[in-house]
Amino acid sequence: MSTDLLVSPNNVTANAMLRAVDMIRPRLQATHPERVALCVGTQINGTPHLGTSLVQTAAFLLAKAVKRTFNVDTVVRFGALDNAPYDVMLDPETHHAYQQTYFHALGREEIDDLVEKYYRAFFDSLADATGVDYEIETYTTQQADPTFRHEFLATLGRLEMIRWPLAPSHGVVHVRFPCPQCGWAEKRAERTRLIAVGSGGAEFAAVCTDHGEYTVSVTPDSPAYIDLATLYRNLVKERVAARDSVTLSVMVKGGDWAFGCQLVDEAFAQLPGPPPPPRIFTPMVLTDTGAKLSKSLIRAGKVALPTGAAPWMLDVTAWEGTVDDYVDCLVWLVGLMLSDPKHFYRSYTTQEVARLMSARPTTAAAPRAREMNLYRRYFDLLAAGRKTIEVRVRYPNLRNLAAGQHIRFLCGRDECLTRIKRVAVYDSFEELLDTEGPERVNPDSPRAQQLANIRRIYGPEKEALGVLAIEVERV
């Protein structure tokens, strides 16, 4: 990708690496995980804006780059933070602030509807564009997991040590337990007290403005809802992730998180166990004042619409084209940023984003194509028209493959654009080769050798997902 559009200053991070994904190479070399999960979280509190879309697009493109650079399976894990405050009110007597989460205000079904409305089609399109699978988990589901709750309970034994990193101004950590009768909780947890903690659980006391004092018992299996404030939530989530010896979790966060992570790391240092997982901070979208683009401040009339900010930058549903058009533009934009670490580890004003988007080369003549990598021996056969069947396992991101779609096969710097003629699903590689004919998969290799080669690439657990025969023709 040409970088003539961008001129970025050097920095310490960029000067230490050739590619943005090299940030996680040290941990990969140390742990040799079976797969890598690029984790990105977003508050479910209305329509997303450009900054949110940029971080999410970066997660998919980073996952794609990790897969190609380090030859390891990748997935994007989307954390839908449905504990975002839906409403806030003041106790008329004490003036303590109380909040109700989106989950408690709307319920599970409406939260699922919000995810479907604002993110599902966007993620499906990103998965198609990058060839990367994704998973979605709400915070409500996450906090109910016994592993998360066990890790939370483990931190309580050192609460006196971690409360200052998590709340450096006053030492009062925001641990909220919504009232079981109305779902409201004291926002800053001023009157929430830890009564007892032991190996099996903990007991807290809290105060509801309408229903008075109540107690909450927290165990790995109890129904109590644990609403942790941002820093505490990330500490517990990252400690759970850091203990996973199979999947390396990489936290993908907006650049403004770099400051908050200093405090999370300080809390990590006070607790026994593994170090924090690796993190990658994506470019921030700034206003012309240098502040982060904030839709809430603009909508509240506290700041003016920044120079160069189109309506879709504040509300992605205002984009005039299709979801695929929007994704293609973001993939191009973030791909440009990822082309050099100097371009990625920095920030961009809305005016600069508008300039780059207006300079995007037209791709009207090029069909939208999913990219797939091939070994050289298979790529040359396909490029010559001798290989017409590509074999894959039925990963979730491939389940929507259909006739008429395009695949761009890649091998090093070479590429071959193809159109899908047909997709067939089989239970095993033997069934596929017997039905399709081994000569259509690899005309230069006998059936037994092909079967052995395929199974060296895909183990039994992957074959069990189902097997795809993708018939293609060159375009």
Side-chain angles (χ1 to χ4, degrees):
M1 179 181 292
S2 172
T3 59
D4 295 343
L5 288 172
L6 275 178
V7 178
S8 300
N10 207 354
N11 58 60
V12 173
T13 302
N15 196 46
M17 62 185 73
L18 299 175
R19 294 164 294 272
V21 293
D22 288 337
M23 181 71 75
I24 69 170
R25 186 187 292 272
R27 196 66 64 89
L28 284 169
Q29 293 292 99
T31 60
H32 303 287
E34 293 183 15
R35 74 169 187 166
V36 176
L38 284 296
C39 304
V40 57
T42 300
Q43 287 193 338
I44 304 301
N45 59 353
T47 58
H49 69 329
L50 172 61
T52 300
S53 295
L54 191 149
V55 176
Q56 293 166 348
T57 302
F60 276 88
L61 287 178
L62 286 165
K64 176 183 174 181
V66 169
K67 182 189 295 186
R68 296 177 65 175
T69 304
F70 304 113
N71 193 30
V72 61
D73 287 342
T74 59
V75 67
V76 169
R77 187 173 293 156
F78 174 57
L81 304 178
D82 57 348
N83 66 323
Y86 180 83
D87 197 7
V88 178
M89 67 176 182
L90 291 179
D91 184 316
E93 295 182 1
T94 66
H95 301 289
H96 287 184
Y98 278 78
Q99 72 173 47
Q100 189 178 42
T101 71
Y102 264 73
F103 172 77
H104 289 89
L106 302 181
R108 187 179 303 276
E109 288 189 8
E110 287 199 44
I111 292 297
D112 290 343
D113 289 343
L114 284 177
V115 172
E116 290 291 324
K117 180 179 180 180
Y118 293 125
Y119 297 102
R120 180 69 70 179
F122 182 62
F123 286 168
D124 284 345
S125 185
L126 277 170
D128 286 342
T130 60
V132 174
D133 292 335
Y134 70 91
E135 304 165 349
I136 295 179
E137 181 183 53
T138 64
Y139 173 78
T140 295
T141 300
Q142 183 183 64
Q143 63 83 37
D145 188 278
T147 305
F148 183 95
R149 300 168 83 83
H150 177 81
E151 196 64 57
F152 166 68
L153 290 169
T155 67
L156 296 179
R158 301 204 178 192
L159 187 60
E160 187 62 30
M161 302 173 70
I162 66 172
R163 68 189 182 97
W164 291 106
L166 298 181
S169 294
H170 41 65
V172 179
V173 291
H174 298 174
V175 184
R176 295 179 287 262
F177 299 98
C179 173
Q181 296 187 60
C182 63
W184 287 81
E186 200 170 32
K187 183 176 178 62
R188 297 178 181 85
E190 295 100 331
R191 293 178 291 180
T192 299
R193 295 177 291 110
L194 175 61
I195 300 174
V197 60
S199 59
E203 188 167 334
F204 288 83
V207 179
C208 174
T209 186
D210 289 328
H211 302 102
E213 186 166 328
Y214 57 96
T215 59
V216 177
S217 295
V218 181
T219 70
D221 301 313
S222 68
Y225 193 101
I226 309 171
D227 181 12
L228 300 179
T230 304
L231 294 180
Y232 205 165
R233 180 187 71 241
N234 276 264
L235 173 67
V236 176
K237 176 186 72 175
E238 292 187 2
R239 284 181 61 80
V240 170
R243 295 187 189 278
D244 190 338
S245 61
V246 175
T247 300
L248 174 65
S249 294
V250 179
M251 305 300 156
V252 181
K253 297 176 175 292
D256 56 319
W257 252 102
F259 310 108
C261 284
Q262 296 179 57
L263 297 172
V264 175
D265 287 347
E266 185 69 24
F268 253 96
Q270 304 300 325
L271 298 168
R279 306 185 185 100
I280 293 181
F281 299 104
T282 65
M284 277 197 297
V285 180
L286 307 179
T287 67
D288 42 7
T289 69
K292 185 181 77 168
L293 179 68
S294 170
K295 65 180 181 183
S296 57
L297 288 179
I298 294 171
R299 289 175 179 173
K302 295 182 179 180
V303 297
L305 188 70
T307 302
W312 64 267
M313 293 184 182
L314 299 177
D315 179 351
V316 300
T317 63
W319 180 265
E320 293 183 355
T322 65
V323 172
D324 285 349
D325 292 336
Y326 181 57
V327 166
D328 288 346
C329 285
L330 283 177
V331 165
W332 176 85
L333 176 66
V334 179
L336 181 65
M337 296 173 179
L338 281 168
S339 64
D340 191 299
K342 294 193 298 291
H343 301 330
F344 190 73
Y345 294 109
R346 53 161 288 188
S347 297
Y348 294 83
T349 65
T350 53
Q351 191 170 12
E352 177 68 353
V353 170
R355 182 188 73 83
L356 293 173
M357 295 289 267
S358 65
R360 175 176 174 248
T362 178
T363 56
R368 193 172 199 263
R370 177 191 299 266
E371 292 183 354
M372 291 186 181
N373 292 311
L374 277 183
Y375 292 115
R376 172 57 64 181
R377 60 183 180 274
Y378 301 129
F379 180 88
D380 290 344
L381 289 171
L382 187 140
R386 300 179 62 211
K387 172 182 170 65
T388 58
I389 297 290
E390 170 61 10
V391 177
R392 299 278 162 150
V393 295
R394 199 166 181 241
Y395 291 126
N397 70 299
L398 299 182
R399 288 175 180 167
N400 293 326
L401 283 180
Q405 296 177 353
H406 291 80
I407 299 175
R408 181 176 290 105
F409 290 98
L410 306 173
C411 182
R413 295 182 179 274
D414 296 329
E415 60 181 55
C416 179
L417 182 63
T418 65
R419 181 185 297 108
I420 299 176
K421 295 179 65 177
R422 179 177 58 90
V423 179
V425 182
Y426 297 98
D427 292 330
S428 67
F429 294 122
E430 288 103 328
E431 183 185 6
L432 183 150
L433 291 174
D434 290 343
T435 305
E436 300 290 342
E439 68 282 353
R440 303 180 69 195
V441 177
N442 185 348
D444 294 340
S445 178
R447 179 188 183 280
Q449 185 62 52
Q450 287 192 48
L451 188 59
N453 290 340
I454 292 172
R455 284 190 165 144
R456 271 197 291 270
I457 299 172
Y458 300 114
E461 74 286 352
K462 293 183 179 179
E463 185 175 359
L465 296 173
V467 177
L468 297 179
I470 309 168
E471 184 178 359
V472 296
E473 60 181 357
R474 290 204 58 179
V475 175

